[in-house]
Amino acid sequence: QVHLAESGGGSAQPGGSLRLSCACSGNVFSIIVMGWYRQAPGKERELVAVKTSGGSTNYADSVNGRFTISRDYAKNTVYLEMNSLKPEDTAVYYCNARLYVTPESRTFDDIWGQGTQVTVSS
């Protein structure tokens, strides 16, 4: 069974910083993409940042220039450095991994973490 474990969420003031981490555990052959999504009350889940196995990145316009995603490929871990936080960043942040479980897998699996709350307020 593949599992994603998130940590690092909490409260911060506007302009502050938080660092989220997500570790993938279990038997996995290859992780194609790891990234972060978020969902605020009354809104749909949206992409925050993703990083492929090739190292390319994609950021939401709302966080570009403020957030930085990185991966430790040896540890199957992804991080999200969140700087210059704004109240509108308040949401539940979910880790995501798109992966092949075995070398024989013909299709990928999308695995989601439980989510970690990030609250930005004065």
Side-chain angles (χ1 to χ4, degrees):
Q1 183 177 352
V2 181
H3 178 72
L4 297 179
E6 300 138 325
S7 63
S11 299
Q13 295 183 341
S17 300
L18 288 172
R19 188 181 191 231
L20 307 182
S21 63
C22 172
C24 179
S25 61
N27 293 325
V28 176
F29 173 69
S30 179
I31 300 177
I32 305 169
V33 180
M34 294 191 78
W36 295 92
Y37 293 70
R38 68 185 182 187
Q39 187 169 24
K43 296 184 178 181
E44 65 181 6
R45 187 174 298 185
E46 65 176 356
L47 182 148
V48 178
V50 296
K51 195 172 188 68
T52 70
S53 59
S56 63
T57 59
N58 185 30
Y59 293 96
D61 290 341
S62 59
V63 307
N64 193 30
R66 300 187 297 117
F67 292 6
T68 302
I69 187 171
S70 61
R71 278 178 66 175
D72 186 330
Y73 294 91
K75 296 181 178 180
N76 286 340
T77 301
V78 64
Y79 305 92
L80 185 68
E81 293 281 353
M82 309 167 66
N83 299 313
S84 301
L85 285 165
K86 302 176 180 180
E88 49 263 45
D89 294 320
T90 297
V92 177
Y93 285 70
Y94 296 91
C95 179
N96 169 261
R98 179 166 289 184
L99 51 86
Y100 292 108
V101 177
T102 72
E104 295 77 28
S105 297
R106 296 183 180 273
T107 59
F108 60 81
D109 288 349
D110 259 335
I111 307 299
W112 294 90
Q114 295 295 314
T116 183
Q117 178 70 48
V118 171
T119 302
V120 184
S121 66
S122 300

